[in-house]
Amino acid sequence: MGMKVEQVLHMVGGAGETSYATNSRLQEKTIYRTKPILDNAIEEMYRTLLPERLVVADLGCSSGPNTFLVISEVLGVVGELRRRLEQKPPEIQFFLNDLPGNDFNNVFRSLERYGKTIEEEKGELLVPYYVVGVPGSFYGRLFPCRSVHLFHSSYCLMWLSQVPQGLESDHGVPLNKGNIYITETSPPQVVEAYQEQYRRDFSSFLKSRYAELSVGGGMVLTFLGRKKHPANGDLSLLWGLLAEALNSMASEGVIAEDKVDSFNLPFYGPSMQEVKSVIHDEGLFDLDQAQILESNWDPFDDSEDDLAYDNVANGKNVARYIRAVIEPLIAHQFGDAILDELFLRYADNVSKHCLKVKTKFTILVIGLKRKA
Amino acid sequence: MGMKVEQVLHMVGGAGETSYATNSRLQEKTIYRTKPILDNAIEEMYRTLLPERLVVADLGCSSGPNTFLVISEVLGVVGELRRRLEQKPPEIQFFLNDLPGNDFNNVFRSLERYGKTIEEEKGELLVPYYVVGVPGSFYGRLFPCRSVHLFHSSYCLMWLSQVPQGLESDHGVPLNKGNIYITETSPPQVVEAYQEQYRRDFSSFLKSRYAELSVGGGMVLTFLGRKKHPANGDLSLLWGLLAEALNSMASEGVIAEDKVDSFNLPFYGPSMQEVKSVIHDEGLFDLDQAQILESNWDPFDDSEDDLAYDNVANGKNVARYIRAVIEPLIAHQFGDAILDELFLRYADNVSKHCLKVKTKFTILVIGLKRKA
């Protein structure tokens, strides 16, 4: 495919209208919902180790307010705990990781403003903390051995390290024609190629983190997954509607059909069963927590029923944050020029779908403890 | 002055013609010349501590090839040493620090290319290493206590944390009219204000680094200084020629005179005597090395005599790297529009000066060891 995911994949930078920073409410809501699990992991680790210096790494920090949400949560829990346990304040070092294409400049320039807010918020409970940035793929090593106490990652592990190999026949014919992810029309080889890439990536992830974690350390991981067969879930639908928009532009001659046929997302939403199976096979971590959450596609729709209150708004909102997430991948394959038109069509497709059925995201949350 | 140095001061980002990355040969040459001191510091520290994990921080890393030069040097020395001492390869964690306005994105995106070069260069002597970025001022704390083994800083410590206070009379009248740094026409209060700010800043620097260094750790610091009275050195001349260019534009009405009168650089070139005096007063470090080097103003002039071979080229070359260094400060005070014109005039002033006398920079290099 000629695409190096490490170089191309990143959320839209800066703080403008189409940036990830202004389009990450979906991710924000989930961080709030997973707080109890994160809090629990911090507390257990802190009580066990009572470290003078605590190292916390956020993998896939992106660039936006959510990055600071996690820092704030850790500072809150540790500040309160050390007071209750009458411990000397530890120092916390936060490592914010993302791929090298991430807008770290934007993160770093927001830190001072953030620091002031947090000082006011935490007052004398604030423990000293330091923030640094770590560029690189979390499918490889990022830290020295046993140098991290807690890993956190939210909405990242469904991104694969690469587009799976094997999505073409031996003669170079695309097998997943007209699709950009697994759908009902994808042949079994495509499903297998995705599953195989997922297993390999998640397994590398676990091995790297095991090497990097201190004894007594742990991880809290949140990512998109699915409940059913890979071809029938919400993610197949979500990306199917985007493929539909691409196909309509191809049929009108706006983009080349073979560009659509050869485009596949480096993305995979696993089932909890698949996740557990990789963890079990690696044998490096104990599964401490495993929860499945649901979330509306539209990040601004906080309702819990199955009614579409404003399907046009739903379509626009979904298109906006999906664009913030995959614009660089799309632009790399099809050029910048089609972006506005493509996401208009996508918004339209999503809003029509929302009228029929309120499909929801499946979010997997797991808490892992390093085996000694 | 309304200027927050931490937010405004940074080298010109990116990799374009006017960027710091393409205009840092002066700094590069000095890194090569100070290698023996750096090598010696690494060797002593490594032999003393034989750490499994080695933490090295480069303070004021900027964005460009020099950043990687230091990493390469450390990897080389440690790789060779551990082989000779028959030690297991340690892991090295590099912390690259600069102010939040630095173009970290550019640094991070160059890392992969750099990694390949270094793998070829070092071959099997390469020890595992990890690189992270640390945004913030080195005049305050940047790292947890006792978490760093070696600090390196090149061409940074002459930048102050702020423009000195006291450069105005009690009635708000600028005392350093027509100047942007200390010159012969600066009144004694101006000289004192600069010296006082320098003492305060360097003292904060030493206190912060002392807290952050492991027992057995050390520092190698290189920065511009002077040999004579602050009003008579090369730096007074260097900035004096820039002030001249600003004044000529003010006299033609291109910029407002009061903008020049109220503009002073957050910069100070200390004498070795002043440096030693602060180190002695703080009492936290032993001065292991103290050298004074000289360097031509023109980074591309490698001659060692006192002849100007091409004074027009000299002027242009100096203007180019001075612009890469202070463009953001100038633009903050006078706007972007004057930059091209200002640095043309500056190049002209420098080339005229070079005809008269080949003034040289005074570079101070010190090696410090943390007292236990």
Side-chain angles (χ1 to χ4, degrees), chain A residues 219-244:
Chain A
M219 306 205 269
V220 176
L221 311 174
T222 306
F223 43 92
L224 289 179
R226 63 167 207 284
K227 288 181 186 156
K228 305 176 198 163
H229 183 272
N232 291 312
D234 47 317
L235 297 171
S236 298
L237 267 162
L238 183 84
W239 300 124
L241 295 166
L242 185 61
E244 214 175 89

Side-chain angles (χ1 to χ4, degrees), chain B residues 129-183:
Chain B
Y129 72 100
Y130 306 91
V131 182
V132 305
V134 187
S137 165
F138 52 51
Y139 291 121
R141 287 288 303 278
L142 294 167
F143 302 92
C145 288
R146 294 178 306 285
S147 66
V148 179
H149 296 95
L150 184 76
F151 283 108
H152 174 266
S153 177
S154 191
Y155 276 86
C156 304
L157 271 162
M158 62 278 187
W159 291 103
L160 301 170
S161 71
Q162 57 175 70
V163 175
Q165 290 184 308
L167 296 183
E168 292 180 348
S169 77
D170 294 345
H171 308 293
V173 181
L175 295 174
N176 206 21
K177 263 177 184 276
N179 299 322
I180 65 173
Y181 184 61
I182 304 164
T183 70

Side-chain angles (χ1 to χ4, degrees), chain A residues 4 6-7 10 52-53 91-93 95 100-106 108-109 111-112 116 130-135 141-148 212, chain B residues 4 6-7 10 52-53 91-93 95 100-106 108-109 111-112 116 130-135 141-148 212:
Chain A
K4 276 215 72 177
E6 280 194 49
Q7 281 157 17
H10 59 83
E52 272 183 46
R53 185 201 318 163
E91 295 181 296
I92 308 186
Q93 199 172 24
F95 286 79
N102 184 48
D103 193 349
F104 279 101
N105 283 352
N106 187 48
F108 288 175
R109 287 166 195 178
L111 272 174
E112 194 186 353
K116 285 196 183 122
Y130 306 92
V131 182
V132 305
V134 186
R141 287 288 303 277
L142 295 167
F143 303 91
C145 289
R146 294 177 305 283
S147 67
V148 179
E212 293 163 356
Chain B
K4 277 216 72 178
E6 279 193 50
Q7 281 157 17
H10 58 85
E52 270 182 46
R53 186 201 317 163
E91 294 182 295
I92 309 186
Q93 197 171 27
F95 287 78
N102 183 49
D103 193 350
F104 280 100
N105 283 352
N106 187 48
F108 288 175
R109 287 166 195 179
L111 272 174
E112 194 185 352
K116 284 194 184 122
Y130 306 91
V131 182
V132 305
V134 187
R141 287 288 303 278
L142 294 167
F143 302 92
C145 288
R146 294 178 306 285
S147 66
V148 179
E212 293 162 357

Side-chain angles (χ1 to χ4, degrees), chain B residues 240-315:
Chain B
L241 295 167
L242 186 62
E244 216 174 86
L246 286 167
N247 286 324
S248 73
M249 289 175 84
S251 71
E252 291 168 26
V254 186
I255 51 176
E257 203 179 299
D258 63 340
K259 286 249 173 194
V260 183
D261 290 342
S262 64
F263 183 65
N264 289 287
L265 291 175
F267 181 101
Y268 183 73
S271 67
M272 187 60 97
Q273 198 40 56
E274 271 175 295
V275 174
K276 285 181 178 171
S277 140
V278 181
I279 295 169
H280 179 264
D281 290 354
E282 289 301 332
L284 304 170
F285 290 90
D286 291 318
L287 186 66
D288 201 34
Q289 292 276 347
Q291 293 191 21
I292 298 180
L293 308 176
E294 279 195 333
S295 166
N296 293 331
W297 278 12
D298 181 348
F300 294 93
D301 178 356
D302 295 333
S303 67
E304 292 190 7
D305 55 31
D306 290 324
L307 301 170
Y309 293 92
D310 184 347
N311 69 308
V312 175
N314 292 158

Side-chain angles (χ1 to χ4, degrees), chain A residues 20 137 218 233:
Chain A
Y20 176 80
S137 165

